[in-house]
Amino acid sequence: MMKVKLIGMDLDGTLLTSKKELTAYTKEILSRAVKQGIIVMPATGRPLKGITDDLLEFSGFRYAVTANGGRVVKLRTGEALFEELVPVETARKVLEVLGHYDTLREIYFDGTGYAQADKLKDIERYLEEAPMMEYIMRTRIPVPDLWAKFEEENRAADKVQGLFVSLEERAMAIRELREVSGIEITGALKKNIEVNAAGVNKGRALIKLGELLGIRREEIMAFGDGANDLKMIKEVGVGVAMENAKDELKEAADYIAGSNDKDGVARFIETYVLS
């Protein structure tokens, strides 16, 4: 059995099914891990408010990496243990670039995601999967003018995101964003871009949390499926890619788990971690 003390798990496409559900079997296995003294936690691109009530109902989650590592929080209180935010002027440049294209733009402050109301109403132009549309509509706060909200806050952001109507425009935006200094560019969906402060990623956040808790890098395991999980998979002690993960993740991972729709995370933990 692997000697693991902390397990970070991406949510969408990893721990959750395609319907955004945490299955009873997965809850059972995670509960067994917690009873063995293992910390299990989400490591997600979602903001804190995007960790929905059905996930919070699982009492085994004490901590969460949110916004791709932009904020690490205590789940029950929302207290930020540490954060690495996008500076206000940098976030302004990113929003300007995203505004050159037909995008649904989002900006996160203090674990809450804000999006332009009229764009949210047309969300089916930017997303193809109904469960993801429903999740975003349920968790984002619509504002009549995203720029006005940004200027009103006038402070560093957890993360900035853009959802695009086409892969071509996404590729063009990435080329523009590469000219902006001080940022980390990634994405978890087919047609999105997620921007954090330079150097921020889920793996770095898990390792920093481990340091706070007295857990070594070698004792940290992580599961992921998307591009925003790649550095996490590489940086932790044991990196596990899902069967449904992008090829680059599978190539970088130490192990491959089953798919998210077949309880891949839970089955891997039960087989290789639990005693």
Side-chain angles (χ1 to χ4, degrees), residues 10-220:
D10 174 55
L11 294 177
D12 302 298
T14 300
L15 187 65
L16 305 180
T17 68
S18 297
K19 294 181 179 179
K20 308 299 178 193
E21 295 173 342
L22 185 65
T23 69
Y25 169 72
T26 292
K27 290 179 184 177
E28 175 193 343
I29 297 303
L30 294 182
S31 294
R32 285 175 56 190
V34 170
K35 287 177 182 177
Q36 287 188 200
I38 299 169
I39 295 170
V40 296
M41 57 184 288
T44 180
R46 296 183 180 198
L48 175 59
K49 295 293 179 62
I51 300 177
T52 48
D53 290 344
D54 53 331
L55 292 171
L56 292 174
E57 285 172 4
F58 176 69
S59 60
F61 292 148
R62 294 163 52 199
Y63 307 100
V65 170
T66 67
N68 288 335
R71 299 178 84 234
V72 176
V73 300
K74 289 184 177 180
L75 267 182
R76 302 304 151 193
T77 64
E79 175 193 351
L81 294 173
F82 55 88
E83 55 189 18
E84 296 185 77
L85 307 179
V86 185
V88 62
E89 289 304 322
T90 305
R92 180 176 284 110
K93 291 176 184 177
V94 172
L95 285 173
E96 286 173 352
V97 170
L98 296 178
H100 296 163
Y101 306 94
D102 186 352
T103 54
L104 191 167
R105 288 171 289 169
E106 299 181 351
I107 190 157
Y108 302 172
F109 294 107
D110 298 331
T112 299
Y114 299 88
Q116 184 104 0
D118 58 351
K119 297 285 188 175
L120 280 175
K121 288 180 181 177
D122 289 332
I123 194 170
E124 66 277 359
R125 299 186 66 242
Y126 307 98
L127 288 168
E128 298 167 0
E129 298 178 355
M132 182 58 74
M133 293 183 205
E134 292 165 6
Y135 154 70
I136 287 181
M137 293 299 291
R138 194 169 76 239
T139 59
R140 301 311 192 255
I141 294 181
V143 294
D145 186 335
L146 190 67
W147 267 115
K149 177 62 179 176
F150 174 73
E151 297 297 351
E152 173 192 330
E153 295 288 341
N154 193 33
R155 59 192 174 104
D158 304 358
K159 189 182 85 170
V160 183
Q161 174 168 256
L163 299 170
F164 290 75
V165 293
S166 72
L167 291 172
E168 292 77 15
E169 289 202 350
R170 179 182 182 273
M172 292 167 65
I174 287 175
R175 286 195 290 271
E176 277 199 74
L177 287 170
R178 285 177 179 150
E179 301 301 315
V180 178
S181 61
I183 62 173
E184 195 82 24
I185 305 167
T186 185
L189 306 175
K190 185 178 180 180
K191 294 186 294 186
N192 85 322
I193 290 176
E194 301 171 43
V195 178
N196 287 88
V200 170
N201 66 73
K202 297 178 183 181
R204 176 176 168 177
L206 286 172
I207 291 167
K208 287 183 69 175
L209 177 61
E211 291 171 353
L212 287 177
L213 301 175
I215 297 172
R216 296 181 295 114
R217 171 186 172 274
E218 293 76 17
E219 297 171 319
I220 299 174

